[in-house]
Short mmCIF file of all heavy atoms in Angstrom, two decimals:
data_model
loop_
_atom_site.label_atom_id
_atom_site.label_comp_id
_atom_site.label_asym_id
_atom_site.label_seq_id
_atom_site.Cartn_x
_atom_site.Cartn_y
_atom_site.Cartn_z
N ILE A 1 260.77 286.78 -0.28
CA ILE A 1 259.44 287.05 0.25
C ILE A 1 259.18 286.07 1.39
O ILE A 1 259.29 284.87 1.21
CB ILE A 1 258.35 286.95 -0.83
CG1 ILE A 1 258.59 287.95 -1.95
CG2 ILE A 1 256.96 287.14 -0.21
CD1 ILE A 1 257.59 287.85 -3.11
N VAL A 2 258.79 286.61 2.53
CA VAL A 2 258.45 285.80 3.69
C VAL A 2 256.98 286.05 4.05
O VAL A 2 256.57 287.19 4.17
CB VAL A 2 259.34 286.13 4.91
CG1 VAL A 2 258.97 285.25 6.11
CG2 VAL A 2 260.82 286.02 4.55
N GLY A 3 256.24 284.97 4.16
CA GLY A 3 254.86 285.07 4.58
C GLY A 3 254.69 284.57 5.99
O GLY A 3 255.62 284.03 6.61
N VAL A 4 253.50 284.73 6.51
CA VAL A 4 253.19 284.15 7.82
C VAL A 4 252.03 283.19 7.64
O VAL A 4 251.18 283.41 6.79
CB VAL A 4 252.80 285.23 8.87
CG1 VAL A 4 253.98 286.14 9.12
CG2 VAL A 4 251.61 286.03 8.46
N GLU A 5 252.04 282.14 8.40
CA GLU A 5 250.92 281.19 8.36
C GLU A 5 250.71 280.69 9.79
O GLU A 5 251.66 280.70 10.62
CB GLU A 5 251.19 280.02 7.43
CG GLU A 5 252.35 279.17 7.80
CD GLU A 5 252.64 278.07 6.80
OE1 GLU A 5 252.20 278.17 5.63
OE2 GLU A 5 253.32 277.10 7.18
N PRO A 6 249.52 280.28 10.12
CA PRO A 6 249.26 279.79 11.48
C PRO A 6 250.23 278.67 11.83
O PRO A 6 250.51 277.78 11.01
CB PRO A 6 247.82 279.29 11.40
CG PRO A 6 247.18 280.15 10.34
CD PRO A 6 248.28 280.36 9.32
N GLY A 7 250.74 278.71 13.06
CA GLY A 7 251.81 277.79 13.47
C GLY A 7 251.32 276.40 13.82
O GLY A 7 251.46 275.96 14.98
N LEU A 8 250.80 275.69 12.86
CA LEU A 8 250.27 274.36 13.13
C LEU A 8 251.37 273.38 13.50
O LEU A 8 251.18 272.53 14.39
CB LEU A 8 249.46 273.84 11.92
CG LEU A 8 248.31 274.69 11.39
CD1 LEU A 8 247.44 273.86 10.45
CD2 LEU A 8 247.49 275.28 12.53
N LYS A 9 252.50 273.46 12.82
CA LYS A 9 253.60 272.51 13.13
C LYS A 9 254.14 272.73 14.54
O LYS A 9 254.25 271.77 15.30
CB LYS A 9 254.71 272.66 12.08
CG LYS A 9 254.32 272.17 10.71
CD LYS A 9 255.44 272.39 9.69
CE LYS A 9 254.99 272.00 8.29
NZ LYS A 9 256.05 272.27 7.29
N PRO A 10 254.49 273.95 14.94
CA PRO A 10 254.96 274.15 16.30
C PRO A 10 253.87 273.84 17.33
O PRO A 10 254.17 273.39 18.45
CB PRO A 10 255.39 275.63 16.37
CG PRO A 10 254.82 276.26 15.17
CD PRO A 10 254.68 275.20 14.13
N ALA A 11 252.60 274.04 16.96
CA ALA A 11 251.49 273.72 17.87
C ALA A 11 251.44 272.22 18.13
O ALA A 11 251.27 271.78 19.26
CB ALA A 11 250.19 274.22 17.32
N ALA A 12 251.58 271.44 17.06
CA ALA A 12 251.58 269.98 17.20
C ALA A 12 252.72 269.52 18.08
O ALA A 12 252.60 268.59 18.87
CB ALA A 12 251.63 269.31 15.83
N ALA A 13 253.89 270.17 17.94
CA ALA A 13 255.03 269.82 18.76
C ALA A 13 254.84 270.21 20.21
O ALA A 13 255.32 269.51 21.12
CB ALA A 13 256.29 270.48 18.20
N ALA A 14 254.10 271.29 20.45
CA ALA A 14 253.92 271.77 21.83
C ALA A 14 252.80 271.02 22.55
O ALA A 14 252.81 270.95 23.79
CB ALA A 14 253.63 273.26 21.81
N SER A 15 251.85 270.49 21.82
CA SER A 15 250.67 269.89 22.44
C SER A 15 251.00 268.55 23.09
O SER A 15 251.76 267.75 22.55
CB SER A 15 249.57 269.70 21.39
OG SER A 15 248.45 269.06 21.95
N HIS A 16 250.41 268.33 24.26
CA HIS A 16 250.58 267.05 24.95
C HIS A 16 249.46 266.08 24.61
O HIS A 16 249.70 264.86 24.60
CB HIS A 16 250.61 267.27 26.46
CG HIS A 16 251.78 268.08 26.91
ND1 HIS A 16 253.08 267.63 26.84
CD2 HIS A 16 251.85 269.33 27.47
CE1 HIS A 16 253.90 268.56 27.30
NE2 HIS A 16 253.18 269.61 27.69
N ASN A 17 248.27 266.60 24.32
CA ASN A 17 247.15 265.67 24.06
C ASN A 17 246.70 265.67 22.60
O ASN A 17 245.76 264.97 22.22
CB ASN A 17 245.96 265.98 24.96
CG ASN A 17 245.34 267.34 24.69
OD1 ASN A 17 245.66 268.03 23.73
ND2 ASN A 17 244.40 267.75 25.56
N GLY A 18 247.37 266.48 21.77
CA GLY A 18 247.04 266.49 20.33
C GLY A 18 245.77 267.21 19.97
O GLY A 18 245.32 267.14 18.83
N LYS A 19 245.21 268.00 20.90
CA LYS A 19 244.01 268.78 20.61
C LYS A 19 244.39 270.24 20.58
O LYS A 19 244.81 270.81 21.59
CB LYS A 19 242.93 268.51 21.67
CG LYS A 19 242.38 267.08 21.67
CD LYS A 19 241.31 266.93 22.73
CE LYS A 19 240.75 265.52 22.75
NZ LYS A 19 239.71 265.34 23.79
N ILE A 20 244.21 270.83 19.40
CA ILE A 20 244.72 272.20 19.18
C ILE A 20 243.65 273.09 18.61
O ILE A 20 242.96 272.71 17.65
CB ILE A 20 245.92 272.14 18.20
CG1 ILE A 20 247.06 271.29 18.81
CG2 ILE A 20 246.42 273.54 17.87
CD1 ILE A 20 248.05 270.80 17.82
N GLY A 21 243.47 274.24 19.20
CA GLY A 21 242.52 275.22 18.66
C GLY A 21 243.27 276.24 17.79
O GLY A 21 244.36 276.67 18.15
N VAL A 22 242.66 276.61 16.69
CA VAL A 22 243.27 277.57 15.77
C VAL A 22 242.36 278.78 15.68
O VAL A 22 241.24 278.71 15.16
CB VAL A 22 243.49 276.97 14.36
CG1 VAL A 22 244.19 278.00 13.46
CG2 VAL A 22 244.31 275.68 14.45
N LEU A 23 242.82 279.91 16.20
CA LEU A 23 242.10 281.18 16.15
C LEU A 23 242.58 281.96 14.93
O LEU A 23 243.75 282.24 14.79
CB LEU A 23 242.33 281.99 17.42
CG LEU A 23 242.08 281.31 18.75
CD1 LEU A 23 242.52 282.18 19.90
CD2 LEU A 23 240.57 280.97 18.89
N ALA A 24 241.64 282.33 14.04
CA ALA A 24 242.05 283.03 12.82
C ALA A 24 240.83 283.70 12.20
O ALA A 24 239.70 283.56 12.70
CB ALA A 24 242.71 282.07 11.83
N THR A 25 241.06 284.41 11.11
CA THR A 25 239.94 285.02 10.37
C THR A 25 239.26 283.97 9.53
O THR A 25 239.82 282.92 9.21
CB THR A 25 240.43 286.15 9.44
OG1 THR A 25 241.25 285.59 8.41
CG2 THR A 25 241.24 287.20 10.22
N GLU A 26 238.04 284.29 9.11
CA GLU A 26 237.28 283.35 8.25
C GLU A 26 238.06 283.06 6.98
O GLU A 26 238.14 281.92 6.54
CB GLU A 26 235.92 283.95 7.91
CG GLU A 26 234.89 283.85 9.02
CD GLU A 26 233.51 284.24 8.51
OE1 GLU A 26 233.33 285.44 8.24
OE2 GLU A 26 232.65 283.37 8.39
N ARG A 27 238.60 284.10 6.38
CA ARG A 27 239.32 283.91 5.08
C ARG A 27 240.51 283.00 5.26
O ARG A 27 240.76 282.12 4.43
CB ARG A 27 239.73 285.28 4.52
CG ARG A 27 240.71 285.27 3.36
CD ARG A 27 240.27 284.44 2.19
NE ARG A 27 238.96 284.83 1.69
CZ ARG A 27 238.24 284.08 0.87
NH1 ARG A 27 238.69 282.89 0.52
NH2 ARG A 27 237.07 284.50 0.42
N THR A 28 241.27 283.18 6.30
CA THR A 28 242.44 282.30 6.55
C THR A 28 241.97 280.87 6.72
O THR A 28 242.58 279.94 6.13
CB THR A 28 243.19 282.76 7.81
OG1 THR A 28 243.82 284.02 7.57
CG2 THR A 28 244.27 281.75 8.22
N LEU A 29 240.95 280.63 7.46
CA LEU A 29 240.52 279.27 7.78
C LEU A 29 239.87 278.58 6.58
O LEU A 29 239.80 277.36 6.54
CB LEU A 29 239.54 279.26 8.96
CG LEU A 29 240.14 279.75 10.30
CD1 LEU A 29 239.09 279.70 11.40
CD2 LEU A 29 241.35 278.89 10.69
N ARG A 30 239.42 279.38 5.61
CA ARG A 30 238.83 278.78 4.39
C ARG A 30 239.89 278.54 3.30
O ARG A 30 239.62 277.87 2.31
CB ARG A 30 237.74 279.68 3.82
CG ARG A 30 236.47 279.75 4.61
CD ARG A 30 235.30 280.22 3.75
NE ARG A 30 235.60 281.48 3.09
CZ ARG A 30 235.25 282.68 3.55
NH1 ARG A 30 234.60 282.77 4.72
NH2 ARG A 30 235.52 283.77 2.89
N GLY A 31 241.08 279.09 3.50
CA GLY A 31 242.10 279.02 2.44
C GLY A 31 242.61 277.61 2.21
O GLY A 31 242.83 276.85 3.12
N GLU A 32 242.84 277.29 0.93
CA GLU A 32 243.33 275.95 0.57
C GLU A 32 244.68 275.66 1.23
O GLU A 32 244.96 274.55 1.62
CB GLU A 32 243.43 275.83 -0.95
CG GLU A 32 242.10 275.78 -1.67
CD GLU A 32 242.26 275.59 -3.17
OE1 GLU A 32 243.39 275.28 -3.61
OE2 GLU A 32 241.26 275.79 -3.90
N LYS A 33 245.52 276.68 1.33
CA LYS A 33 246.85 276.51 1.90
C LYS A 33 246.75 276.06 3.35
O LYS A 33 247.46 275.12 3.77
CB LYS A 33 247.62 277.83 1.76
CG LYS A 33 249.09 277.78 2.20
CD LYS A 33 249.71 279.13 1.96
CE LYS A 33 251.09 279.26 2.58
NZ LYS A 33 252.11 278.44 1.94
N LEU A 34 245.87 276.69 4.13
CA LEU A 34 245.71 276.33 5.52
C LEU A 34 245.10 274.94 5.66
O LEU A 34 245.57 274.13 6.48
CB LEU A 34 244.83 277.38 6.22
CG LEU A 34 244.54 277.30 7.73
CD1 LEU A 34 243.45 276.30 8.08
CD2 LEU A 34 245.83 276.98 8.51
N LEU A 35 244.12 274.63 4.86
CA LEU A 35 243.46 273.31 4.94
C LEU A 35 244.43 272.20 4.56
O LEU A 35 244.44 271.14 5.13
CB LEU A 35 242.22 273.31 4.09
CG LEU A 35 241.10 274.29 4.53
CD1 LEU A 35 239.94 274.28 3.53
CD2 LEU A 35 240.61 273.94 5.93
N ALA A 36 245.27 272.49 3.56
CA ALA A 36 246.29 271.50 3.14
C ALA A 36 247.32 271.31 4.24
O ALA A 36 247.76 270.17 4.50
CB ALA A 36 246.96 271.93 1.84
#
C-alpha cells in the first residue's frame, strides 16, 4: 500500500530561505500525521 502525503521533506530541501507554504484541504492540515 502506497499513500501520498504533502512533500514537506522535499520542500525543505528545495527551499533557500526555509519558509514554505503548504496548500491542502482542512482535513489534511488537521491530521495528526501531517502535524507530526
